[in-house]
Amino acid sequence: MSEAPNPLSQYFATNSSPNPIELATIRKEIDQYDIAIGKIRLELRNLEAGRQRYEGLLSPLRRKPLPLEILGEVFSYLIYPLFSELDELHEFVGMVGYDVGSGRNALINLCLVCKAWRDAVYATPPLWSRVDIYWDSLDFEKVNQWLNRSRGVPKSLVIYPHDLSQELTDDHLTILEELLTAGPPLGRLDLRMSNGPEEDEAHLQRLADLLKPVLDVKFPPPPWNSLKSFTLQFSGSNAEISDVVIPRFPHLKSLHLRLPSFYDEDPWDDDHQSVPFDIPQDILEGLTNLTLSNCDWTGCTILALIRWCKNVKTLTVRHPSGWLINLDSPFLQGLTSTGIPLPAVQSLRLGNLCREQSDILRFLRTPSLVELDLSFDLLNADGNFEYPEEAEYQYPNLESLKSNILSLVKNPTSIDCDVDLRRLRLHNLYISANSLASILTSLPSLSHLTLDEVWFDSTLFKQLEAAGTKCLPRLEVLELLNVPECFHIPDVYAFVASRRSFGQPGITGMEGTAGLRELTMTVTPPPKDSGSGLRNAERVLREQYNLTANLGYMHSK
């Protein structure tokens, strides 16, 4: 790099080799070049960083910031799923051991990013409309301040036990009472209790007592006056709380009760008609959504209760174990001809039915039914457990199930009737292919069919394929979940292919016919299976039949 004549220049035009002394000089020159290049690179990085800082000053967001309303909508897509996840966890596993403050913490973190984000969060009232909190963190001032930021948006307060050993004290209920009498108007209230039955009974009784004078107040309207959704959960068992009455909220539309066990012994042969938990008739008549979870009441009790649900659109009842009824009951005998009319019910979900006794369905009249979800237990009609490993029980004929399902729809006398039922889900059922095919053939209006842990031999799909479009002509979505490895999967592919013409997406006239458009299937894999078969089938169904296919393996427990 020196300015003096370079003694090494002669080598640039020839192939001669430098001597050892010249080699040392060459290496020194290279090192000097490396040092100079490093300095220039550092200077270039500094120049680029400075340029980027000045470019930031020209950002369109700086000159014309993103409207706060749009930022608020973006934040909503982050916050709302967190609350939905909490609701799902509560529904299936309870909330003990989970962080119920995830949505609240995420919102606070958004406020800490910058002033613009904080302004956007405060300018979006729905983001502040819900508080999920533990009983031992309940604070009137903090909850009141948080919910008041939601302004006129309906507000939700959800209170969980921190763990199963936490005691719900009088101090907790005192704070709750203050919120109910002096807090903001509520649209939804969820109370979840983890005490034993005696404590739960006492606390619920106090809650009911404090609400009586509150609900009598006409002006100003109490916070409960706008309540449309109420959830009450107990974790105790065998609680004697029959004297406690659900308060008569004037605008209540959705009621969700997760109940304690009421019976020490099996009440299957009893003719109970009185409800162990007192729900006023006028409350039931005003509901559009009723959910009874962990409900071990007798069939007579449940039917006696839901007969008042004239306006309920979504009805969910989940029994903790096999749900059996006594068909010789005088109460049920009196319902044989008239049944119980439920004219508004569009979605009916019943959990843990005995698979050989779905007769409770025939007492229900649901002319508006669109969605039916039936989950079964392994109890037989004698109340004994049966397992599919026993050959005599593996694929039983359940023709009675067909007639009981058809009794729910408009015209149960004709298997060719055009019923309104669109969605059917069957869960945890062992049934012969003939019986299942007979049920599906009788429901031509189905557009969505879900078979979740339903065991049957795969000749079902051969029967459906042979029947052509006469069977399930409107089927659009098919879900086969937790299919056993012994199932003959190619029969499914053949049925699916019969509902879609072989074609190429994107090419006019070759797109594939309308009809079945989505297949979801999960399979319990055989040992050391790589999954290549399902992946290849998924590719063919997507590329050649223009069908949305989601195929995968479920690992056995």
Side-chain angles (χ1 to χ4, degrees):
M1 291 185 62
S2 62
E3 298 297 332
N6 190 346
L8 300 175
S9 59
Q10 59 176 323
Y11 293 109
F12 296 147
T14 67
N15 292 327
S16 301
S17 299
N19 60 48
I21 296 176
E22 292 172 329
L23 288 175
T25 303
I26 292 172
R27 292 190 181 95
K28 183 178 179 181
E29 290 288 331
I30 292 175
D31 292 339
Q32 291 178 355
Y33 273 106
D34 288 339
I35 292 172
I37 290 172
K39 292 180 179 179
I40 294 173
R41 283 177 175 170
L42 177 61
E43 184 178 359
L44 178 61
R45 284 197 296 269
N46 292 335
L47 291 172
E48 288 178 341
R51 183 177 185 275
Q52 288 177 356
R53 286 197 296 270
Y54 279 94
E55 278 187 338
L57 299 179
L58 299 177
S59 170
L61 293 179
R62 178 183 289 271
R63 290 180 292 169
K64 188 178 181 180
L66 197 65
L68 298 181
E69 295 81 2
I70 296 180
L71 268 178
E73 287 296 321
V74 173
F75 296 156
S76 298
Y77 283 100
L78 168 67
I79 299 299
Y80 294 162
L82 297 177
F83 288 127
S84 298
E85 182 179 349
L86 288 175
D87 290 337
E88 292 176 2
L89 287 170
H90 160 253
E91 180 66 26
F92 293 105
V93 298
M95 287 310 305
V96 174
Y98 290 88
D99 180 15
V100 303
S102 57
R104 187 173 68 255
N105 294 335
L107 194 60
I108 293 174
N109 290 335
L110 289 175
C111 292
L112 298 177
V113 173
C114 63
K115 183 179 183 301
W117 284 29
R118 182 178 183 275
D119 291 343
V121 170
Y122 275 87
T124 310
L127 295 176
W128 303 92
S129 62
R130 173 166 170 171
V131 172
D132 288 61
I133 198 168
Y134 294 118
W135 281 102
D136 54 5
S137 301
L138 192 60
D139 182 279
F140 172 79
E141 293 297 337
K142 292 181 179 179
V143 172
N144 188 51
Q145 183 182 21
W146 183 285
L147 291 179
N148 278 331
R149 292 175 184 147
S150 65
R151 302 173 204 170
V153 177
K155 300 165 180 57
S156 300
L157 176 60
V158 186
I159 312 178
Y160 306 86
H162 194 277
D163 54 56
L164 291 176
S165 61
Q166 179 192 3
E167 291 187 10
L168 183 59
T169 65
D170 289 339
D171 291 339
H172 296 143
L173 289 179
T174 299
I175 299 174
L176 177 61
E177 181 178 357
E178 188 178 8
L179 283 168
L180 301 181
T181 54
L186 294 174
R188 170 187 173 186
L189 177 66
D190 291 15
L191 303 178
R192 296 157 191 187
M193 304 180 179
S194 65
N195 295 104
E198 294 182 0
E199 292 83 358
D200 279 344
E201 178 186 4
H203 292 145
L204 186 58
Q205 185 63 61
R206 177 178 171 183
L207 178 65
D209 291 341
L210 75 88
L211 287 175
K212 289 177 183 178
V214 173
L215 293 173
D216 290 337
V217 176
K218 302 301 181 183
F219 186 85
W224 292 73
N225 192 64
S226 58
L227 195 70
K228 293 185 178 180
S229 175
F230 182 50
T231 295
L232 190 60
Q233 171 186 297
F234 298 92
S235 62
S237 60
N238 300 320
E240 297 294 337
I241 55 178
S242 56
D243 294 333
V244 179
V245 180
I246 291 293
R248 287 179 166 84
F249 308 119
H251 303 293
L252 192 66
K253 297 298 180 183
S254 179
L255 178 62
H256 184 171
L257 299 178
R258 190 174 182 90
L259 302 167
S261 299
F262 285 88
Y263 299 105
D264 291 317
E265 301 178 356
D266 300 333
W268 297 328
D269 295 329
D270 295 340
D271 187 24
H272 292 293
Q273 298 178 38
S274 60
V275 178
F277 194 95
D278 196 350
I279 307 176
Q281 177 181 334
D282 54 345
I283 291 289
L284 295 170
E285 291 176 343
L287 295 177
T288 58
N289 188 333
L290 175 62
T291 299
L292 302 175
S293 298
N294 196 44
C295 179
D296 66 347
W297 300 348
T298 66
C300 293
T301 300
I302 294 172
L303 292 175
L305 175 73
I306 64 176
R307 61 182 168 176
W308 307 115
C309 298
K310 306 297 183 182
N311 296 303
V312 167
K313 295 181 179 180
T314 301
L315 177 60
T316 304
V317 183
R318 297 189 181 95
H319 202 281
S321 57
W323 185 352
L324 301 172
I325 60 174
N326 178 16
L327 294 176
D328 296 328
S329 162
F331 176 70
L332 295 183
Q333 291 291 327
L335 295 175
T336 303
S337 58
T338 61
I340 294 178
L342 300 170
V345 168
Q346 298 177 4
S347 178
L348 178 62
R349 300 165 186 164
L350 302 179
N352 279 337
L353 291 170
C354 171
R355 62 185 173 87
E356 291 182 344
Q357 193 187 48
S358 58
D359 301 279
I360 195 170
L361 300 178
R362 70 165 101 145
F363 297 102
L364 306 178
R365 301 293 182 266
T366 54
S368 301
L369 192 63
V370 174
E371 177 183 1
L372 179 62
D373 187 326
L374 301 178
S375 181
F376 295 84
D377 203 346
L378 296 177
L379 292 178
N380 61 18
D382 297 324
N384 299 317
F385 279 98
E386 296 173 349
Y387 297 93
E389 290 77 11
E390 302 176 34
E392 63 268 29
Y393 298 128
Q394 189 162 4
Y395 298 123
N397 289 309
L398 298 177
E399 281 297 309
S400 60
L401 181 59
K402 168 188 170 181
S403 60
N404 290 332
I405 290 178
L406 289 182
S407 68
L408 294 170
V409 299
K410 285 184 177 179
N411 184 6
T413 61
S414 172
I415 64 172
D416 297 322
C417 65
D418 186 14
V419 298
D420 287 334
L421 190 64
R422 299 286 183 240
R423 297 172 178 266
L424 175 64
R425 176 180 179 265
L426 300 177
H427 171 249
N428 200 27
L429 179 64
Y430 301 86
I431 186 172
S432 69
N434 290 335
S435 291
L436 188 52
S438 179
I439 292 172
L440 299 179
T441 304
S442 304
L443 300 171
S445 62
L446 284 182
S447 61
H448 290 65
L449 174 62
T450 300
L451 303 178
D452 186 356
E453 292 189 271
V454 176
W455 288 59
F456 55 92
D457 58 90
S458 57
T459 58
L460 167 73
F461 291 99
K462 291 183 178 180
Q463 296 182 45
L464 299 182
E465 181 182 359
T469 56
K470 294 181 179 179
C471 178
L472 299 175
R474 302 179 185 176
L475 187 64
E476 298 179 3
V477 178
L478 176 61
E479 294 181 306
L480 303 174
L481 308 180
N482 300 305
V483 175
E485 61 185 81
C486 59
F487 197 83
H488 191 58
I489 297 176
D491 288 346
V492 179
Y493 300 152
F495 168 73
V496 170
S498 69
R499 297 303 180 96
R500 303 284 297 188
S501 66
F502 189 83
Q504 293 289 343
I507 301 178
T508 303
M510 294 286 288
E511 301 91 344
T513 59
L516 187 64
R517 57 180 173 81
E518 183 176 337
L519 170 66
T520 300
M521 181 166 63
T522 57
V523 184
T524 303
K528 300 181 180 180
D529 193 287
S530 64
S532 59
L534 285 184
R535 286 195 295 270
N536 291 335
E538 182 176 293
R539 178 182 57 80
V540 171
L541 292 174
R542 288 176 181 270
E543 296 179 1
Q544 305 300 329
Y545 292 91
N546 194 25
L547 183 139
T548 301
N550 301 289
L551 313 179
Y553 281 130
M554 293 290 293
H555 295 285
S556 57
K557 297 179 180 179

